[in-house]
Amino acid sequence: MEIFGLSLALLVLFVSFGFMVGVLFGFFGMGGSFLITPTLLLLDYPASVAIGSGLAFYFGTSVIAVLKHYDIGQVDYKLGAILFVVLSIGIELGSRLVFGLEALGIAGLVTGVAYVVLLAGIGALFLRRASKLDDGDDEEDIDDEDIPAIGQQIQSYTVPPMISLTSGGRASLWTISGAGGSVGLVSGLIGVGGGFIRMPAIYYLIGTPLTAAVGTSLFAGLFSGAFGTFTYGMSGSVDLTVVSLLLVGSALGARIGSAATTTVEEDDVIVYFGIMMILASAGIALSELANWLGTGALDLVSVFLLVGSSFAVASMILYQVVTSTGKSGPSAQPEADSGD
Amino acid sequence: MIESVALPAPVQALLLVGVILVQAVALYAGYGVLERVATPLIDTITDTR
């Protein structure tokens, strides 16, 4: 039985996977597109379709994020507009690279390897954060002294033309173009929104204050997501059915995940999130190994590692929400919305 | 993919962006309404436990 050209099992998988991704990333405050593209790759979608659909999913979640934070705090609109242009150029270059690699027959391999490194890196960062929490070092505040030396060095470049920032500082157009273009290239190449590198790039390399960096990243990300969808849509590389099903699940999951932050301690699940990312990375590595060996025997294990670990951690959050609701009842007091 | 309509590729791509935009807005609004309806119901159920 097929609905919208998909088997019932795939249809249920996409909606439920979207839901779980929404719960996870609503809870951890991230977009989650970096789990969508590798999953589509594992399900044998062509690399360009997996990447295009991942970017389209990111665009949809960005629209919802902007609606949620319609007063997206401080936004440096001039910087946002420049970033949109350079991000779009990067995305365009990245997409051309993907189509070139596809013509060579190695797009899937390159994207897969990039995801193995990316997910393992994110997993390692979360595990490091979890170990710091175990050591009692839960200092999360960031101040100017935390900016690494290389960031301070890049911020100090005054190669003209210089752009005045809303915050009062100035940044070289070359720095903005380099940082934004690189993030756009990564977005276009592997189909991630890139918020997890875009926001730090705006803060650490361009020198925008943290509050404005969050809003400006969201603003530039929304438009670059639309551009990425347009670019891949031009070549018919966006599967609208898949994106729609994922968004149906994700929009609901993100609401629950976001609400769960008031009842579930992030510290309790952060280590599992780190392990989940490492397992997802291992799943993609196994899939690439199976492709290289020319066997499909490991496909099921790969999907299980990537999708199964996401389901497990999201279920853990949902379980804690249900149990804490039962325990605390009406006395539970939600925290004030930080509006991040 | 929007394949059935014989429109130029840029128009199809723009249409795609528009469809995702509208869908995201509709999902945000729809689940918002659902949340408003469901929250008092859940509170009532947990209160009576």
Side-chain angles (χ1 to χ4, degrees), chain A residues 146-210:
Chain A
D146 290 329
I147 295 175
I150 188 161
Q152 292 181 23
Q153 175 76 33
I154 291 171
Q155 280 186 28
S156 70
Y157 293 149
T158 53
V159 183
M162 296 295 287
I163 305 293
S164 299
L165 304 175
T166 308
S167 58
R170 283 161 69 80
S172 167
L173 184 63
W174 296 100
T175 306
I176 299 170
S177 302
S182 308
V183 174
L185 187 68
V186 173
S187 292
L189 190 57
I190 61 174
V192 291
F196 58 95
I197 42 175
R198 192 177 53 240
M199 208 286 285
I202 294 173
Y203 174 66
Y204 287 117
L205 303 182
I206 299 172
T208 307
L210 198 58

Side-chain angles (χ1 to χ4, degrees), chain A residues 21-43:
Chain A
V21 167
V23 170
L24 282 173
F25 295 99
F27 185 78
F28 288 103
M30 299 156 99
S33 56
F34 53 80
L35 278 184
I36 300 301
T37 304
T39 305
L40 294 178
L41 283 173
L42 287 185
L43 293 171

